[in-house]
Amino acid sequence: MASHVSGTHPGAAVRSSERTGIGSGWVVFAGVMMIFGGLMTLFAGIAAIANDEVFAATRNYVFEFDLTGWGWVHLVMGVVITLAGAALFQGATWARVVGVGLAGLAMLANFLWLPYAPFWAIVLIAINAFVIWALCTAPSPER
């Protein structure tokens, strides 16, 4: 006769931990991608502030902004995204909500950044899309 805790059946703890492991795996993935994307955004901002000639801007683009101004925007966004990505490792629910919002803003900023660094802008847009997907599909910590 097998003894088990009342209200549970054999294997329930295994399934529960598997579900948590899968969910935490997506949150870890999102955290790593946010830290990577935040650092890339931070470095792009530093490069734009330090030397405007690093980037070759496309002429006659609809969204034509000052490169130094974009550098400051990217610098601040990079720091905030990196910190929010690090907070995901602490399991904070607020970090998941903030992460989705910041990833959405970063996608918009990188779309507007396309004339200056098209390849990296597209890569960072894709990374931020994966971050939003991972944060939205991961199960909540209460489950």
Side-chain angles (χ1 to χ4, degrees), residues 27-97:
V27 174
V28 169
F29 170 77
V32 169
M33 288 295 105
M34 282 184 70
I35 290 171
F36 172 75
L39 289 175
M40 293 303 295
T41 302
L42 175 83
F43 293 142
I46 290 171
I49 293 168
N51 189 2
D52 283 354
E53 288 80 33
V54 172
F55 299 99
T58 305
R59 301 289 177 230
N60 300 324
Y61 192 69
V62 175
F63 305 106
E64 194 171 327
F65 298 110
D66 179 42
L67 189 58
T68 304
W70 270 117
W72 283 105
V73 168
H74 276 73
L75 180 76
V76 171
M77 278 185 50
V79 169
V80 173
I81 290 171
T82 303
L83 292 175
L88 283 172
F89 290 111
Q90 303 301 318
T93 304
W94 65 266
R96 291 176 71 169
V97 174

Side-chain angles (χ1 to χ4, degrees), residues 79-137:
V79 169
V80 173
I81 290 171
T82 303
L83 292 175
L88 283 172
F89 290 111
Q90 303 301 318
T93 304
W94 65 266
R96 291 176 71 169
V97 174
V98 169
V100 170
L102 286 174
L105 287 174
M107 287 176 74
L108 178 64
N110 283 305
F111 175 74
L112 297 174
W113 186 249
L114 276 171
Y116 303 106
F119 176 75
W120 281 112
I122 291 171
V123 168
L124 291 174
I125 287 170
I127 286 172
N128 287 308
F130 281 123
V131 165
I132 291 172
W133 177 77
L135 291 175
C136 290
T137 60

